[in-house]
Amino acid sequence: MPGAFEGETVTRRRFMVGVANGAGALAAAAFTLPALAFAVGPVFSHEQWTWQPIGPSSDFPNDNFVTRVIQIQQGPLGAAGNVNNTLAYVRTRNPAIDTEPEDQYNHWIALSSRCMHLGCPVRWTPAAARFICPCHGGVYDIRGMVAGGPPVRPLDRFYTRFNHATGLVEVGPRYSVNSELRRFSPRYPGEPLDGIGQYLYPRQFAQPKPPPGVSQKK
Amino acid sequence: MPRLPAPPLPKGLRPRPKPPGDDNGAGVADTLDPLEAGVTAVDWIDERTSLTPVGRWLLFRKVPRGVNWYYTLGSATLFAFLNQAVTGVFLAMYYRPDASGGAYESVRYITTDAFLGQFVRGMHKWGASVMIILIFLHMGRVFFFGAYKYPRELTWIIGVVLLILTLAMGFTGYLLPLDQRAYWATVVGVNINAGGPFIGPYLSNFLFGGADFGATTLSRFYAIHMLIIPGAIVALIGAHLYLVTKLGITAPPWLKAEPEKQFQPETDV
């Protein structure tokens, strides 16, 4: 590299070009990076969840479902009308059919109506004792286990608890389950949780935290 | 030299009679001829920008023998995009990206109450499908005519990016009426996104603006639909057209190349 004098490694012209380009890049980054982070922020911010009362425990039989509309909390803007609603199918835990271990958060079984194929809303059909999805024919039994069709895992669930102060059953955050009804942090529909699937689809930062004292796989 | 009779012009456009008196001021009146005003304005701009050669380079270029109607599919796609841009801009004057009911209500207003609203919304809605169909026809023409080959690979690559961006426009635009079909189609679409291993769930978090469909999902899709992607599309169409103009277009493959003239040392040297 020829310099203006002996031993010069960077010519003045090269230095000035570098300074001009660097200043331009800095100025562009000064508005681009904050704007990008602003847009991507929701991916990394935990959503809040409040426990929502859904009625006294006598409302819920143990051999059939009762529907409850609950709100998905989202961000500081909060509820946005109907788009924030989701449906839970709730029944009392029945030891004869519910073989997963019992704890303080599953005395009532609250199943999400979201199909685990691609997220359409499933409907409980009492005559068949099955959940049936209108979109692509996913079928689930009374425990939410896949009975047929394309879904890759059982229906998502919500934590439930009994509030002794109000005497009402309350619904908490969503969680996903694998085919052994083992609890996982919430996943999107279409993401299997058995075998390699639980590693292909890692935990999301945005999903609400589980209630304290729950063993839930990440 | 015989002259054509002057056309019957309205009073304001007739050439001014020469002012009385001596002829020293001749020429002043000629430069004020209102018929020449347009030409003068173009000259004024051209003198300062030299845009005329650019326009000639862009529009008056040599094309190979045998070009036919299939070569107009690219222009047709461009005009479909311009239709989407113009109708979209004016739909934005009435549309309200409000997930708590305002969006649906504003689309209902456009469709049923606003003057020509149903027509303009129809142009945007059906034009979207027309644009996608034209893109695929254009792409098929380029593929089957072999026009993607050297030196036009970059034109093809930019075209594929434009196709993907247009499909993204279709996906984000589908949510905006916020009726049942729009809502559930978007839920299913974002869940399909989440099926990509490792980054899929985060991509879906980004699209939803959180873990689930929520208050900001609609405004997010609206911003992507009307600002981010259209900007990218306009820039890439510019690059696409620049390359088309610079490289020229290919002859149809069924035309035989001109037979090479044999080099004949006796006569050519």
Side-chain angles (χ1 to χ4, degrees), chain B residues 126-146:
Chain B
W126 296 103
S129 300
V130 168
M131 182 173 171
I132 297 216
I133 292 167
L134 284 173
I135 283 182
F136 277 107
L137 292 177
H138 175 53
M139 199 175 187
R141 198 283 293 174
V142 171
F143 181 78
F144 288 114
F145 283 29

Side-chain angles (χ1 to χ4, degrees), chain B residues 87-109:
Chain B
T87 54
V89 163
F90 291 113
L91 284 170
M93 292 182 175
Y94 292 91
Y95 180 71
R96 204 146 43 93
D98 168 20
S100 59
Y104 180 82
E105 174 57 28
S106 65
V107 173
R108 191 206 58 74
Y109 174 78

Side-chain angles (χ1 to χ4, degrees), chain A residues 116 152-154 156 175-180 182-188 190-203 217-218:
Chain A
M116 287 301 117
V152 294
R153 62 172 202 257
D156 278 359
Y175 63 95
S176 296
V177 290
N178 67 3
S179 59
E180 294 157 353
R182 184 138 176 237
R183 286 169 176 159
F184 284 80
S185 72
R187 305 294 157 98
Y188 278 104
E191 303 182 348
L193 279 174
D194 295 308
I196 196 176
Q198 59 184 302
Y199 307 110
L200 285 181
Y201 302 104
R203 178 180 69 94
K217 263 198 98 171
K218 290 275 180 178

Side-chain angles (χ1 to χ4, degrees), chain A residues 39 42-43 47 72 74 77-78 80-81 83-84 114 118-121 188-189 191 199-207, chain B residues 99-100 178 183-184 187-188 191-192 194-198 201-202 204-206 208-216 220:
Chain A
V43 176
E47 278 186 21
I72 304 169
Q74 173 142 47
L77 284 175
V83 300
N84 258 16
R114 191 162 76 169
L118 286 174
C120 290
Y188 278 104
E191 303 182 348
Y199 307 110
L200 285 181
Y201 302 104
R203 178 180 69 94
Q204 302 156 42
F205 308 104
Q207 296 287 358
Chain B
S100 59
L178 206 69
Y183 177 86
W184 289 109
V187 166
V188 168
N191 285 331
I192 291 173
F198 303 116
Y202 305 113
S204 290
N205 284 165
F206 171 76
F208 273 156
D212 267 301
F213 197 107
T216 57
R220 196 164 264 264

Side-chain angles (χ1 to χ4, degrees), chain A residues 5 8 17 23 28-29 43 49-50 53 78 86 96 99 148-149 152 162 166 181 187 189 200:
Chain A
F5 54 86
E8 191 182 44
V17 167
V43 176
W49 183 277
T50 50
T86 193
T99 51
V152 294
F162 187 69
T166 60
L181 293 186
R187 305 294 157 98
L200 285 181

